[in-house]
Amino acid sequence: MLLVITMAVNKQKKGEILKDLKELFGRIKTATFVNFHGLSVKDTSALRRGLREDNVRLFVAKKTLIKKALGEAAIPGDIPMLDGEIAIAYPHTEDADITASARGVYAFQKKFDGRLSIVGGIFERMFRGKEGMLEIATIPSMKTLRGMFVNVINSPIQGLVVALSAIAEAKESK
């Protein structure tokens, strides 16, 4: 879901957006706050498509509404500075990778040369600053971590097989 607010919004619409934000912050464990100033519609669409592949959604609202909803969300820590035009990237389902939103935005941040940046976020129901979210963004996906783990487990076994094979070849050549 992408909601772009570019013109004046009436009180009723603001109330609906605020209600949606409160509901969102009440149920999610992680979210990444993104400054997307200077992105074209084409780039924003590419960002949304890329995030959607990782089951991440993007929600755009006025900063005043975001700050108000965050203030009422009872999340520990200090709300990060929300500079620029802010969007919220968050996992869409409960079983989604909790680092996917930060990792997805980080990947696009490199691609869009400063027109997109992480400004903070929420991780494990606590506010995190820009640096904390950037650290989280560099954590590999669960699929990658599992592959790395299997490789670590397989490495000694593979070394043993190579050594036994070399011994067998040495005995055969005698």
Side-chain angles (χ1 to χ4, degrees), residues 69-107:
L70 288 172
E72 296 176 17
I75 298 171
D78 296 326
I79 299 172
M81 292 295 295
L82 301 177
D83 295 329
E85 297 173 86
I86 300 296
I88 304 156
Y90 63 95
H92 184 59
T93 60
E94 290 293 321
D95 61 338
D97 185 353
I98 60 172
T99 61
S101 63
R103 194 176 46 257
V105 171
Y106 184 70

Side-chain angles (χ1 to χ4, degrees), residues 32 34 51 69 96 102:
T32 304
V34 184
L51 292 175

Side-chain angles (χ1 to χ4, degrees), residues 43 79 108 145 149 154 171:
D43 291 341
I79 299 172
F108 277 94
L145 287 173
F149 180 69
N154 190 37
K171 284 185 178 184

Side-chain angles (χ1 to χ4, degrees), residues 11 22 31 46 65 89 91 98 103 106 130 144 154:
K11 225 175 198 178
K22 286 179 185 179
L65 296 175
I98 60 172
R103 194 176 46 257
Y106 184 70
K130 179 180 181 174
T144 303
N154 190 37

Side-chain angles (χ1 to χ4, degrees), residues 127-146:
F127 286 116
R128 309 287 179 178
K130 179 180 181 174
E131 294 77 26
M133 290 307 291
L134 288 174
E135 287 176 13
I136 291 164
T138 59
I139 297 172
S141 70
M142 282 303 288
K143 188 176 182 179
T144 303
L145 287 173
R146 286 183 183 123

